[in-house]
Amino acid sequence: MKIMIIDDSKVVHNYVESLLKDSEHTLLHAYDGSEGIEKVAASSAEGLDLIFLDWEMPKMTGIEVLERIGKAQGTPPIIMMTTKNDPEDIVRALTLGAKEYLMKPFTKDLLFEKINMVLSASTG
């Protein structure tokens, strides 16, 4: 499974990579929203399966990314990874196309739970 991480924090990239190291996932990395959009578009032919998307990033926020690709045909499921926990923020992200919401910091169990929820919903 190919997973794109769009987050400006290298610590988050390294953390998610460490949690997924024993699984058979290929990780792709983008460090801001505009780079993420470019890489998602470039990866579409390669079969990207899932996107982890941060909210607060330079150049383009996660919400701006969702506004551009969140509901586009062929966009893989998106899981927001953020510290923003206001119910209005969560509803906004879900309305724009995010499939799940993962609060930072998170555990390995919660990460896999969200992955499984999103993937089972998209195949079922």
Side-chain angles (χ1 to χ4, degrees):
M1 180 166 66
K2 287 189 179 177
I3 299 172
M4 170 81 63
I5 303 170
I6 306 173
D7 195 303
D8 60 319
S9 170
K10 289 183 180 182
V11 171
V12 171
H13 285 262
N14 292 337
Y15 179 63
V16 172
E17 194 162 2
S18 73
L19 296 179
L20 297 174
K21 71 178 182 204
D22 295 329
S23 59
E24 297 194 19
H25 301 303
T26 301
L27 296 180
L28 305 171
H29 302 273
Y31 295 93
D32 64 60
S34 58
E35 179 187 10
I37 286 177
E38 290 173 16
K39 288 190 172 184
V40 167
S43 299
S44 64
E46 301 171 21
L48 190 60
D49 298 297
L50 182 66
I51 299 171
F52 287 116
L53 178 61
D54 185 27
W55 188 301
E56 299 171 294
M57 296 180 290
K59 296 185 184 177
M60 184 180 285
T61 68
I63 284 297
E64 291 170 320
V65 171
L66 280 172
E67 288 171 341
R68 296 267 303 270
I69 68 167
K71 292 185 177 180
Q73 181 72 23
T75 298
I78 299 171
I79 298 175
M80 293 298 294
M81 292 189 312
T82 182
T83 58
K84 292 178 104 20
N85 65 357
D86 186 292
E88 289 178 14
D89 292 333
I90 295 169
V91 169
R92 183 173 180 205
L94 296 173
T95 300
L96 289 171
K99 299 299 181 203
E100 268 299 332
Y101 208 87
L102 184 59
M103 293 299 303
K104 294 178 185 176
F106 50 85
T107 63
K108 182 176 184 175
D109 289 341
L110 189 55
L111 178 73
F112 277 95
E113 178 183 316
K114 295 292 184 174
I115 291 172
N116 291 332
M117 286 171 63
V118 166
L119 294 180
S120 64
S122 67
T123 59

